[in-house]
């Protein structure tokens, strides 16, 4: 039997769509929501379900950045055929995304038992929310915000891509928060750091969702909740992406920092009083 109903799938799809690309930790919010709905966060079908519905959010990114993705893939294809085309930034960027995804894939496969076991605790989520907030605040203060998307390099992509490991190991840290913060530390402007976070998230999150799909079904996750959760996350994530890009063009990340600290402290309180089971 599936541990998640249709109604719960809708709620989790909304949470996933809203939080996947905001620097507030989608994994953390999903685990908190599951805990509030008395869904066992360490159930294999639940863990797999949350990974699969991320595909809906990734589909939203693919649609939103469709023209950019076509441009980058076109440049990559031309570069593979013609050596003279390999000077183009888009050709290099395509390879950088591939290279930058390798570290998180290796760690994800090697540390899977830990990620789905001890590190899935809500205590870890609460601590990671607060610690990640400190990194985000410091990065926003330190960064000079002087480099745009065309100024990115292989070093930038590798450092930002590798920072996804923090969120992988410590749910609550936030993949978006880690990657955006790293981009800011490297002096990228907020829009460039955000867009780089989006592009680097595409292969990592898509791969994770597809990898978990067989486990989700095999572990007892019903097809209907999976489909519903994925569709809802797609719709909500598309709107979330559009809003975030407009927001970071004019605002700092301070609002997200404050929000994360509040949620982290509240979660500690709920766990400490026994209202939530870790």
């Amino acid at each position: 039997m599936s541990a998640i109903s249709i109604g719960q799938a809708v709620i989790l799809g909304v949470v996933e769509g809203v939080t996947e690309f905001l620097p507030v930790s989608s994994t953390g919010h999903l685990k908190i929501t599951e805990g509030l709905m008395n869904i066992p966060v360490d159930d294999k079908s639940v863990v797999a379900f949350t990974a699969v519905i991320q595909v809906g959010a990734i589909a939203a990114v693919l649609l939103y950045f469709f023209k950019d993705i076509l441009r980058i893939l076109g440049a990559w294809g031309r570069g593979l055929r013609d050596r003279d085309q390999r000077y183009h930034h888009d050709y290099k960027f395509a390879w950088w995304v591939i290279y930058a995804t390798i570290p998180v894939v290796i760690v994800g496969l090697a540390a899977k038992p830990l990620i789905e076991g001890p590190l899935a605790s809500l205590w870890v989520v609460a601590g990671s929310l607060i610690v990640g907030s400190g990194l985000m605040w410091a990065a926003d203060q330190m960064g000079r915000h002087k480099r745009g998307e065309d100024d990115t390099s292989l070093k930038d992509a590798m450092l930002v891509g590798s920072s996804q490991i923090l969120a992988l190991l410590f749910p609550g840290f936030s993949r978006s928060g880690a990657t955006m913060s790293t981009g800011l530390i490297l002096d990228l402007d907020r829009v460039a750091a955000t867009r780089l976070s989006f592009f680097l998230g595409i292969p990592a999150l898509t791969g994770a969702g597809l990898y978990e799909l067989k486990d989700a079904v095999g572990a007892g996750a019903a097809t209907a909740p999976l489909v519903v959760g994925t569709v809802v996350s797609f719709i909500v994530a598309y709107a979330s992406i559009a809003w975030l890009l407009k927001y970071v063009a004019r605002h700092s990340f301070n609002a997200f920092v404050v929000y994360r600290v509040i949620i982290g402290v509240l979660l500690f309180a709920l766990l400490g009083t026994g209202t939530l089971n870790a």
Side-chain angles (χ1 to χ4, degrees):
M1 295 294 293
S2 173
I4 298 175
S5 68
I6 296 291
Q8 291 171 331
V10 171
I11 295 172
L12 292 174
V14 171
V15 173
E16 164 65 22
V18 170
T19 62
E20 180 60 57
F21 300 109
L22 300 187
V24 296
S25 175
S26 62
T27 302
H29 279 73
L30 285 168
K31 288 185 180 299
I32 292 170
T33 305
E34 289 163 359
L36 291 173
M37 293 192 296
N38 293 317
I39 297 173
V41 297
D42 57 348
D43 186 295
K44 288 186 177 180
S45 67
V46 175
V47 173
F49 175 89
T50 57
V52 172
I53 64 173
Q54 287 178 337
V55 175
I58 291 301
V61 173
L62 293 174
L63 180 61
Y64 192 91
F65 293 107
F66 185 68
K67 291 183 179 179
D68 295 298
I69 293 171
L70 279 185
R71 188 191 74 244
I72 293 169
L73 289 178
W76 186 56
R78 289 191 296 273
L80 291 176
R81 297 190 304 271
D82 185 353
R83 184 182 298 271
D84 293 336
Q85 296 293 320
R86 296 176 186 176
Y87 71 91
H88 201 287
H89 184 270
D90 285 340
Y91 170 79
K92 298 176 183 177
F93 185 77
W95 278 114
W96 297 346
V97 170
I98 295 172
Y99 298 151
T101 303
I102 294 174
V104 72
V105 171
I106 293 174
V107 173
L109 293 174
K112 195 170 187 287
L114 285 175
I115 295 168
E116 295 182 354
L119 294 178
S121 168
L122 288 178
W123 288 108
V124 176
V125 171
S128 299
L129 277 166
I130 295 174
V131 173
S133 298
L135 173 63
M136 188 181 302
W137 180 83
D140 212 6
Q141 301 303 310
M142 291 167 53
R144 290 178 287 178
H145 315 294
K146 66 177 185 178
R147 301 171 57 209
E149 188 174 344
D150 291 338
D151 299 318
T152 55
S153 64
L154 173 59
K155 175 185 175 182
D156 297 325
M158 291 302 297
L159 289 174
V160 173
S162 296
S163 71
Q164 295 178 108
I165 294 172
L166 287 171
L168 185 66
L169 296 178
F170 305 106
F173 208 96
S174 170
R175 189 202 66 82
S176 295
T179 51
M180 291 177 191
S181 296
T182 303
L184 292 176
I185 292 173
L186 294 170
D187 292 329
L188 293 176
D189 63 48
R190 294 186 184 97
V191 174
T194 301
R195 284 174 59 88
L196 183 58
S197 173
F198 284 143
F199 287 123
L200 289 175
I202 290 173
L205 294 177
T206 301
L210 295 177
Y211 179 80
E212 294 286 358
L213 182 58
K214 67 180 188 306
D215 293 335
V217 177
T223 302
L226 278 175
V227 172
V228 169
T230 302
V231 171
V232 172
S233 72
F234 165 77
I235 296 170
V236 177
Y238 189 91
S240 180
I241 294 167
W243 176 84
L244 180 61
L245 286 171
K246 291 179 181 178
Y247 181 86
V248 298
R250 296 179 175 85
H251 302 85
S252 72
F253 288 116
N254 289 342
F256 296 116
V257 171
V258 173
Y259 173 80
R260 287 170 58 105
V261 171
I262 292 173
I263 294 298
V265 171
L266 178 61
L267 182 54
F268 270 128
L270 291 173
L271 291 170
T273 58
T275 304
L276 277 182
N277 189 326

